Amino acid sequence: MFSVGAGTSPERAQQGAAEHPSAPIPIVGPGIGESIRVPLGETGLDTFPLMLGAAEFGWNVDLETSHGILDRYVEFGGNAIHTADGFSGGRSEHIIGQWLQSRGQRERAVLSVRIGAHADNPGLGSVNLVRAVEGSLTRLGVERIDVLYLDATLDKTTNLEDTLATVEWMVDAGKIGALGAFGFAPERLVEARILASAGYPRIEVIDSPYNLVRRQPFEGDLRLVAGAQGLAVTPSHALEHGFLSGRHRSKALTSRGVRGEQLRGHLNRRGTKILRALDQVATELEVPVAAVSIAWLLAQRTIAAPIVNTFATDHVDELMQGAGVTLSRAQVAELTRAGN
């Protein structure tokens, strides 16, 4: 499994890894995954191939548990934390900011923030954009956001040139490192690249919801554009609200509310077929179902680091295994066919 135990010798751990080339990352003391980094496109940043999403912080997860999740993620060697100004009305950012300060982790963390959906500063207009970034910096208690994702969910009409000109000013001021996009149509990404050729900041990363269950719209023009432009893809909803963790298999046992409806919507013939395929591969590799779901994403071209949200520290143990699992071509093909 994922851990070989704190008391396991390095020699034995190396021997185990040699015997099982597809085995997950063994834990030999804290931070073993610190050596595992992937380039985030052309941003110049190197991240662990799994970003810890903070969508649940301050909403379904309290401060103490949130800090425990962050501690566990870093203990395994993770370094990429993703949040948004709209998550829990900004409480997610407050929680991360408190953790960064109390643990002294700012210099080691790659911090990405999605802006554009906060109730006080919606959209990508110049004024709201500046206010949103300043608000996020204040809540996080930092001077710079490493990757800023522009969220176009609530704003499809703002002139992109004006938005990028505002971003350019904030980049020059040292408030933003690299630029990402969320909810951008393929044609808007093409427009952004044309503007970048004229000197405006270039979009380097995109976030598009994508997983074994939710294959569209990413598997289409969006993936073609991402590949052609050399964009790093950090797909959100990597486990589809927990369905692809394999924990939810009965409509009667799923929770009520919006999330329960989302889960029940996948408990159909196709969803059951996907879970069976995941179970088979998980059994073959002796890893959790969630790890196989993550490994399938990482096997897809253009995918750099999936964004995964979690509710508990023990879930982190399962998720981090996905970065150390190598699926065979046959396993990738079988999982892909199950989701067709």
Side-chain angles (χ1 to χ4, degrees), residues 35-59:
S35 62
I36 302 176
R37 296 290 183 264
V38 296
L40 191 60
E42 299 177 6
T43 64
L45 299 168
D46 292 323
T47 75
F48 189 82
L50 183 70
M51 290 187 173
L52 182 65
E56 305 296 338
F57 293 179
W59 180 29

Side-chain angles (χ1 to χ4, degrees), residues 248 250-264:
H248 308 279
S250 169
K251 291 184 178 181
L253 297 178
T254 54
S255 60
R256 296 181 180 181
V258 175
R259 180 143 300 162
E261 285 297 322
Q262 292 169 333
L263 291 170
R264 283 190 288 273

Side-chain angles (χ1 to χ4, degrees), residues 30-108:
I32 189 67
E34 289 182 5
S35 62
I36 302 176
R37 296 290 183 264
V38 296
L40 191 60
E42 299 177 6
T43 64
L45 299 168
D46 292 323
T47 75
F48 189 82
L50 183 70
M51 290 187 173
L52 182 65
E56 305 296 338
F57 293 179
W59 180 29
N60 290 314
V61 182
D62 60 22
L63 184 144
E64 183 179 357
T65 304
S66 299
H67 283 190
I69 289 170
L70 287 162
D71 287 338
R72 191 63 171 160
Y73 173 71
V74 170
E75 181 182 346
F76 278 113
N79 73 325
I81 303 169
H82 178 80
T83 186
D85 64 350
F87 290 167
S88 306
R91 289 191 295 276
S92 173
E93 291 175 315
H94 274 298
I95 290 172
I96 292 173
Q98 291 173 338
W99 179 82
L100 288 171
Q101 182 177 13
S102 65
R103 306 302 196 270
Q105 287 286 337
R106 178 60 190 102
E107 295 304 315
R108 300 178 62 188

Side-chain angles (χ1 to χ4, degrees), residues 219-242:
E219 289 187 357
D221 291 342
L222 193 57
R223 180 154 67 180
L224 291 174
V225 170
Q229 295 187 3
L231 302 176
V233 182
T234 57
S236 53
H237 299 286
L239 294 181
E240 193 61 25
H241 307 292

